[in-house]
Amino acid sequence: MKPCKRIEIVVEEHLAGRMADQLDAAGAPGYTVIRRAGGRGVRGVRRADDPTGTATNCVFIVACDDDAQVEKVVAAIRVMLKRSGGLCLVSDAHWIGY
């Protein structure tokens, strides 16, 4: 196992393409996207089963093993989150290699 940082980002699903572009531009090593996420937050309820997709979220998961890279990713998405809303969590994790 190798220590790393886990970055979780929740945004409205229609912003997924823009978030992916921000992550790519920031040099994120890769990411996983979980679409059709639901829940409740400051903007109210987000329904994962909304047929129109206008009230659903998606979750990006990024694993970084370099602190400078983490800071670069967070700085790159901070502006978008301030403008469009969303959530970003950074936590310690362990990367299990293959």
Side-chain angles (χ1 to χ4, degrees):
M1 291 189 295
K2 180 166 94 172
C4 67
K5 296 290 186 183
R6 176 184 170 125
I7 305 170
E8 295 172 83
I9 306 158
V10 180
V11 294
E12 293 178 353
E13 191 168 15
H14 69 90
L15 298 172
R18 193 177 314 160
M19 180 57 70
D21 291 343
Q22 291 292 319
L23 292 171
D24 290 340
Y31 50 82
T32 297
V33 181
I34 302 169
R35 295 185 179 273
R36 296 283 181 177
R40 184 177 61 82
V42 297
R43 293 182 175 216
V45 174
R46 304 310 242 167
R47 294 186 41 164
D49 61 349
D50 176 27
T52 65
T54 59
T56 59
N57 286 335
C58 64
V59 180
F60 283 79
I61 301 172
V62 182
C64 291
D65 60 356
D66 179 84
D67 287 340
Q69 191 175 48
V70 172
E71 292 301 322
K72 189 173 179 185
V73 167
V74 170
I77 65 170
R78 182 174 277 134
V79 173
M80 183 176 165
L81 292 177
K82 280 186 175 184
R83 184 177 55 238
S84 303
L87 170 71
C88 177
L89 301 171
V90 179
S91 56
D92 292 324
H94 287 93
W95 193 318
I96 300 175
Y98 35 82

